[in-house]
Amino acid sequence: MNTKIDYPEYFARFYDTIYNSLRTDDMEFYLKKISNCSGKILEIGVGTGRLFLKAIERKADIYGIDISKSMTDILKDKLTQVDQSRVEVQDVCCMNLPYRFDLIIAPFRVFSHLMSVEDQLMALRNIYYHLNNNGLFIFDLYVPNPKMIAEGLDHVIDFEGEYEKGKIIRRITSMKADIVNQISTAEMKFEWQENHSWREATWKMSMRFYFRFEVEHLIRLSPFKLLNVFGNFNEKPIDTDDSEMIVVCGKNIK
């Protein structure tokens, strides 16, 4: 994985505004898993702290890594000086942390940023190394939508709202999929009001999409034991109409 990847400043700046609105269904699922864990917890892809801050509020012994310095800088500004030491810029493929964890989570499609099988397996082995025996690793992915893969998106406004009182941020997204390499590339145009005028910037981001049995085979190639694959955050077994794939793995669990 390329450790030089970073989100542009404006993406990190507006991340909370956009995803606190668009991404809410996973919150209670992960917070429940965190609350049920009495040991150390690691969040991979901690970002600006959407989940992490709520876990800290609940007195969880949680740590976080992210590949993006622009995102973790925003998170650290929200933390006490003591808790800032819990967050580091590291790559999941080569992270090296001084602790071992009872629970590791990678919410909101972190594994979609791992393009190659080599990186995916490297990440899984490294996560396994950082887990205690009987520890759990939980991550989620989206289930590929055949219609979306075939047709893509063409300049869809997928978010519009206030980032400050009286100031609007709008995101317009286009997407094309490469079915052979299983990569979708989104072009996101941001338009926002600032200093009595409109500003805009465009950024492209590619993500890997996975199919259910591909994920199961990937886990079996790793040291992990696959425990469950859910189709939503209510822990329902995955089915044809589901759009989420939540994967639960264990270390040395019999």
Side-chain angles (χ1 to χ4, degrees):
M1 192 173 181
N2 184 354
T3 55
K4 295 182 180 178
I5 292 174
D6 203 356
Y7 292 108
E9 179 276 333
Y10 55 85
F11 185 93
R13 177 185 176 190
F14 298 126
Y15 188 90
D16 287 347
T17 301
I18 294 172
Y19 287 104
N20 284 346
S21 172
L22 296 182
R23 184 71 174 182
T24 58
D25 55 345
D26 62 346
M27 184 73 72
E28 286 307 314
F29 170 82
Y30 282 112
L31 289 176
K32 180 181 177 182
K33 300 301 180 186
I34 288 167
S35 295
N36 289 341
C37 179
S38 59
K40 283 183 166 49
I41 302 154
L42 175 65
E43 181 182 355
I44 297 167
V46 69
T48 59
R50 186 176 63 93
L51 282 167
F52 188 87
L53 291 168
K54 292 187 180 297
I56 287 287
E57 288 173 4
R58 298 184 183 200
K59 309 300 182 185
D61 189 9
I62 190 168
Y63 297 78
I65 66 163
D66 201 290
I67 201 168
S68 169
K69 185 177 184 300
S70 61
M71 299 284 269
T72 57
D73 282 349
I74 289 174
L75 171 54
K76 286 184 176 182
D77 283 343
K78 304 173 187 176
L79 295 171
T80 66
Q81 189 170 0
V82 171
D83 285 335
Q84 286 178 3
S85 64
R86 292 176 173 270
V87 177
E88 295 185 29
V89 176
Q90 291 214 36
D91 183 336
V92 63
C93 293
C94 55
M95 65 179 178
N96 185 13
L97 299 170
Y99 305 115
R100 297 298 173 265
F101 302 91
D102 289 336
L103 173 65
I104 297 179
I105 60 173
F108 200 12
R109 303 163 186 169
V110 166
F111 260 63
S112 291
H113 297 282
L114 301 174
M115 299 296 177
S116 70
V117 174
E118 179 184 13
D119 278 353
Q120 294 154 17
L121 288 173
M122 192 181 305
L124 285 169
R125 293 182 188 118
N126 205 9
I127 292 165
Y128 187 89
Y129 173 77
H130 281 83
L131 269 178
N132 288 321
N133 284 335
N134 298 309
L136 294 178
F137 171 48
I138 305 173
F139 66 103
D140 62 76
L141 300 161
Y142 67 90
V143 176
N145 181 320
K147 186 173 186 292
M148 186 78 72
I149 291 172
E151 299 178 4
L153 292 175
D154 187 17
H155 295 89
V156 173
I157 298 174
D158 59 3
F159 180 82
E160 183 169 350
E162 287 188 336
Y163 70 94
E164 292 177 7
K165 187 173 178 58
K167 295 182 179 180
I168 300 296
I169 169 68
R170 180 187 303 126
R171 188 175 73 178
I172 304 164
T173 300
S174 299
M175 189 277 289
K176 291 183 178 180
D178 175 349
I179 185 65
V180 173
N181 293 300
Q182 293 180 216
I183 293 173
S184 61
T185 299
E187 181 177 277
M188 293 174 281
K189 182 180 180 182
F190 296 80
E191 300 175 342
W192 68 96
Q193 292 173 308
E194 191 168 33
N195 297 328
H196 308 291
S197 64
W198 281 91
R199 296 186 61 189
E200 64 178 52
T202 301
W203 183 54
K204 285 187 177 182
M205 178 177 70
S206 294
M207 297 181 74
R208 176 79 148 74
F209 56 87
Y210 300 76
F211 295 96
R212 183 254 181 103
F213 290 113
E214 173 189 9
V215 173
E216 293 195 14
H217 284 300
L218 189 66
I219 298 302
R220 290 189 172 98
L221 286 172
S222 80
F224 277 109
K225 180 177 182 179
L226 180 65
L227 301 178
N228 277 302
V229 180
F230 299 122
N232 63 28
F233 292 103
N234 293 322
E235 302 188 41
K236 178 185 75 66
I238 193 165
D239 203 355
T240 305
D241 297 326
D242 291 323
S243 59
E244 298 285 348
M245 184 169 16
I246 299 97
V247 184
V248 183
C249 311
K251 178 174 180 176
N252 293 340
I253 293 178
K254 296 180 180 179

